[in-house]
């Protein structure tokens, strides 16, 4: 795996929260998602990866370079979209863009204004009059306008309507389509991101509790629908998130391959149906420790 | 860096204009007057410039851009140094205009040197306070400093301003009567201290999240 972003023993300590000992490698040319409940440490991790805050211990390397001595070079190749974007609030969108532009070596003003128009954000409007979602869109426009090789986004779809959410997800998919560029995205909701992410990470209480390729995860976790009496009680006890419904029940199974043979007869008889579990179901089951 | 410098310099420039404004009538009318007090205003005006520029700064945005904390600190400190230099030139010019033929001229020149010199480490400390403890702490600090400096001046008879600035005046007299290189040595010491504080500020800026 050719890692584009590496973190080694990354820790951030606050007086009431610690993001602990995170080591990870993120490959190039894909979308990597970090999920977790609110307060799990996703924003802290994104800030550490984008060098927005200093780490208490550990190090981050991006494109094989260290922020310690190559910060400017790395940030020229990164687009960072924070959860709560901060600009010169009293000034217009255009002013903020003109302020930011000279810092980037490969700024594309035409692309920036095209994206801004696509998002229907007026360049004359003061930033303080933008909604939270519009500020995020403005931040995304900035991140996409300097030919970045890596996007780090924190809750990019929060506060957006369904049309804009789809637009952003399509943009992200398009961004990685050349197989060279990478997206790292954190969110507390899987909605939409589960379709485009190739790798899934799960954070809880400041710990990285789980990492997997999404397809591998979906191949293992299945939701099994079954008629009353079609499965043995022992088998049903292996299920999590069991839902009893009038015309049949369902449950999540953690390792489908281990029970495939036990389900075969039921599947053949039409009493059992197996479908892919949704990512949010899997994450909730993991969060509950089931 | 130019974008940061241009934005920050706006506050230094507007303060400079208000600093000079009261002096012109005094200069046009005759000698002395408010010119005598101007040197004492430099630390106040520079502190106020730092306060207003910091209040309007968006360090969270700057963190997103390809610019290092070291570059930001150097730009801010460079601007403050340039501003102090301009204030010093203006003071020299005004004092030369007002007192050139007076036997007091060396004293006023030394006073200008001294207040501008003191202003530099003061400004450096304000930046460190802002980056280490946040803008609220800076606001409280600068406003308290300005109040402490201004209120007694107005509370007491304005004619007795020299009593308020007695330590500064005594130091300026001592400098004015001393050998020429004494002021030059003080200038070098202040520059060295300012440079040292700038290194401290870089480390503070890199480690702290208070300004974000």
């Amino acid at each position: 795996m050719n890692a584009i972003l590496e973190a080694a023993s990354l820790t951030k300590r606050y007086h009431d929260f610690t993001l602990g000992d995170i080591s990870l490698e993120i490959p190039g040319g894909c979308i990597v998602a970090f999920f977790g409940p609110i307060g799990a440490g996703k924003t802290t991790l994104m800030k550490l990866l984008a060098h927005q805050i200093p780490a208490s211990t550990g190090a981050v390397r991006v494109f094989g370079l260290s922020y310690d001595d190559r910060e400017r070079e790395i940030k020229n190749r990164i687009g960072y979209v924070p959860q709560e974007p901060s600009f010169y609030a009293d000034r217009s969108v255009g002013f903020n863009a003109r302020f930011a532009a000279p810092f980037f070596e490969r700024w594309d003003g035409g692309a920036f204004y095209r994206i801004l128009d696509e998002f229907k954000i007026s360049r004359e409007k003061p930033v303080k009059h933008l909604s939270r979602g519009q500020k995020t869109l403005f931040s995304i426009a900035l991140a996409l306008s300097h030919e970045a090789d890596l996007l780090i986004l924190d809750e990019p779809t929060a506060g957006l309507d369904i049309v804009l959410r789809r637009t952003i997800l399509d943009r992200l998919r398009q961004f990685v389509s050349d197989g060279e560029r990478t997206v790292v995205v954190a969110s507390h909701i899987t909605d939409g991101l589960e379709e485009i992410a190739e790798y899934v990470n799960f954070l809880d209480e400041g710990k990285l509790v789980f990492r997997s390729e999404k397809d591998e995860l979906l191949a293992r976790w299945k939701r099994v629908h079954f008629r009353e009496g079609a499965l043995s009680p022992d088998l049903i006890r292996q299920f999590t998130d069991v839902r009893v419904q009038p015309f049949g029940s369902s449950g999540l199974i953690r390792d489908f391959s281990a029970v495939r043979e036990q389900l075969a007869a039921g599947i053949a008889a039409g009493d059992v149906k197996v479908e892919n579990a949704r990512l949010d179901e899997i994450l909730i089951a993991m969060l509950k420790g089931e | 860096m130019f974008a940061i410098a241009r934005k920050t310099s706006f506050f230094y420039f507007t303060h400079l204009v208000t600093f000079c404004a009261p002096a012109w009538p005094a200069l046009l009318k005759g000698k002395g007057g408010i010119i005598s007090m101007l040197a004492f205003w430099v630390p106040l005006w520079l502190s106020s410039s730092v306060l207003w520029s910091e209040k309007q700064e968006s360090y969270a945005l700057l963190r997103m851009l390809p610019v290092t904390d070291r570059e930001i600190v150097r730009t801010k400190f460079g601007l403050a140094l340039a501003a102090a230099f301009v204030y010093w030139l203006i003071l020299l010019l005004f004092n030369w205009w007002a007192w050139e033929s007076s036997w007091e001229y060396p004293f006023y020149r030394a006073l200008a040197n001294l207040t501008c010199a003191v202003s530099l480490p003061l400004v450096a400390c304000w930046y460190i306070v802002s980056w280490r403890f946040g803008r609220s702490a800076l606001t409280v600090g600068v406003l308290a400093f300005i109040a402490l400096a201004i209120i007694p001046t107005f509370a007491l008879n304005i004619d007795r301003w020299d009593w308020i600035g007695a330590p500064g005046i005594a130091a300026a007299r001592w400098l004015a009567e001393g050998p020429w290189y004494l002021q030059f040595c003080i200038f070098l010491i202040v520059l060295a201290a300012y440079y040292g504080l700038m290194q401290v500020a870089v480390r503070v800026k890199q480690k702290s999240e208070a300004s974000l």
Side-chain angles (χ1 to χ4, degrees):
Chain A
M1 185 170 68
N2 184 19
I4 203 165
L5 195 159
E6 301 158 80
S9 304
L10 202 57
T11 304
K12 181 68 184 177
R13 290 188 199 89
Y14 292 106
H15 69 280
D16 56 350
F17 174 77
T18 299
L19 180 79
D21 199 23
I22 299 216
S23 296
L24 51 85
E25 287 188 356
I26 290 175
C30 61
I31 298 178
V32 179
F34 285 82
F35 296 114
I38 290 168
K42 301 182 299 296
T43 294
T44 306
L45 180 61
M46 293 303 108
K47 284 181 176 177
L48 287 170
L49 296 181
H51 198 57
Q52 302 300 298
I53 53 172
S56 302
T57 57
V60 176
R61 291 181 75 82
V62 187
F63 313 118
L65 309 171
S66 167
Y67 280 113
D68 291 341
D69 51 0
R70 308 285 283 276
E71 181 176 354
R72 184 200 276 259
E73 190 178 334
I74 294 170
K75 284 189 173 174
N76 255 306
R77 296 174 64 189
I78 282 186
Y80 173 62
V81 178
Q83 187 177 20
E84 289 178 15
S86 178
F87 299 101
Y88 292 113
D90 291 332
R91 311 304 294 267
S92 68
V93 168
F95 171 88
N96 277 278
R98 285 193 300 277
F99 177 85
F103 289 95
F104 293 105
E105 287 170 7
R106 295 176 293 178
W107 175 257
D108 184 347
F112 171 76
Y113 287 112
R114 273 196 302 278
I115 298 170
L116 216 56
D117 291 341
E118 185 186 349
F119 292 159
K120 298 184 175 62
I121 296 175
S122 162
R123 58 190 80 173
E124 281 82 32
K125 201 170 187 178
V127 171
K128 65 183 175 188
H129 292 152
L130 297 179
S131 68
R132 188 187 162 204
Q134 284 176 315
K135 280 184 197 165
T136 301
L137 292 173
F138 175 29
S139 195
I140 290 172
L142 281 177
L144 290 171
S145 302
H146 60 275
E147 299 176 25
D149 296 313
L150 169 66
L151 291 185
I152 299 176
L153 307 102
D154 189 5
E155 305 280 2
T157 56
L160 300 182
D161 61 50
I162 50 171
V163 177
L164 280 172
R165 187 179 299 176
R166 177 53 54 193
T167 307
I168 298 302
L169 295 176
D170 288 344
R171 278 265 174 196
L172 297 184
R173 207 194 314 249
Q174 191 186 339
F175 183 81
V176 296
S177 61
D178 65 357
E180 299 288 325
R181 298 184 292 184
T182 306
V183 172
V184 176
V185 57
S187 179
H188 68 279
I189 47 171
T190 55
D191 189 22
L193 286 171
E194 65 182 346
E195 293 170 30
I196 62 170
E198 285 147 73
Y199 292 87
V200 176
N201 297 265
F202 189 55
L203 280 165
D204 188 31
E205 295 181 351
K207 302 276 182 216
L208 186 58
V209 293
F210 182 78
R211 271 194 295 166
S212 174
E213 276 190 47
K214 185 188 72 181
D215 291 343
E216 192 184 307
L217 191 67
L218 293 179
R220 265 195 298 123
W221 284 78
K222 298 287 180 189
R223 178 161 285 281
V224 180
H225 297 268
F226 54 96
R227 287 214 175 94
E228 190 77 38
L231 300 176
S232 70
D234 281 349
L235 185 56
I236 294 173
R237 268 195 289 276
Q238 293 181 42
F239 291 171
T240 60
D241 190 27
V242 176
R243 297 170 191 168
V244 180
Q245 288 148 350
F247 303 106
S249 305
S250 73
L252 276 181
I253 187 76
R254 180 187 286 268
D255 188 358
F256 177 64
S257 61
V259 297
R260 187 194 297 265
E261 285 181 14
Q262 298 173 65
L263 295 173
I267 294 171
D271 293 332
V272 175
K273 203 174 90 182
V274 178
E275 64 180 28
N276 278 341
R278 294 200 320 269
L279 205 51
D280 59 335
E281 290 180 322
I282 300 171
L283 297 179
I284 290 167
M286 291 170 70
L287 186 62
K288 289 179 177 171
E290 290 169 342
Chain B
M1 240 43 56
F2 180 68
I4 300 173
R6 191 178 52 194
K7 192 164 187 313
T8 307
S9 62
F10 169 79
F11 298 96
Y12 283 105
F13 178 75
T14 49
H15 275 75
L16 195 64
V17 170
T18 59
F19 176 84
C20 296
W24 291 113
L27 285 171
L28 294 175
K29 259 194 261 174
K31 310 277 184 182
I34 206 159
I35 307 293
S36 314
M37 289 181 69
L38 272 181
F40 286 103
W41 293 4
V42 175
L44 304 184
W45 255 246
L46 279 173
S47 299
S48 177
S49 305
V50 172
L51 174 65
W52 285 102
S53 65
E54 284 296 284
K55 280 172 91 77
Q56 300 295 320
E57 193 52 274
S58 175
Y59 287 110
L61 173 63
L62 292 177
R63 271 277 161 95
M64 289 164 55
L65 304 175
V67 57
T68 63
D69 284 322
R70 184 176 295 278
E71 290 165 332
I72 294 169
V73 172
R74 282 182 178 171
T75 304
K76 299 270 179 183
F77 272 59
L79 265 179
L81 180 64
F85 179 70
V86 172
Y87 277 99
W88 177 72
L89 281 180
I90 287 171
L91 282 178
L92 286 192
L93 182 70
F94 282 179
N95 284 322
W96 175 79
W97 195 342
W99 308 108
E100 191 265 338
S101 55
S102 160
W103 61 273
E104 284 280 56
Y105 176 58
F107 160 72
Y108 285 114
R109 197 175 51 196
L111 189 63
N113 291 346
L114 195 63
T115 50
C116 288
V118 167
S119 297
L120 279 177
L122 180 72
V123 162
C125 290
W126 290 135
Y127 274 122
I128 291 170
V129 166
S130 176
W131 295 332
R132 176 65 186 83
F133 302 106
R135 276 162 239 193
S136 305
L138 175 72
T139 306
V140 170
V142 171
L143 291 182
F145 170 70
I146 291 174
L148 281 174
I150 287 180
I151 290 172
T153 311
F154 284 103
L156 295 170
N157 188 327
I158 196 80
D159 294 338
R160 295 183 61 195
W161 67 271
D162 55 343
W163 183 84
I164 303 299
I169 287 166
R173 287 211 187 283
W174 176 71
L175 277 179
E177 287 161 11
W180 68 270
Y181 54 81
L182 195 58
Q183 293 182 50
F184 185 69
C185 286
I186 286 175
F187 169 74
L188 290 181
I189 290 167
V190 163
L191 271 190
Y194 191 65
Y195 182 78
L197 286 167
M198 187 172 76
Q199 301 308 316
V200 173
V202 170
R203 278 198 290 278
V204 167
K205 183 86 182 65
Q206 286 169 338
K207 298 281 177 202
S208 175
E209 296 168 39
S211 62
L212 298 177

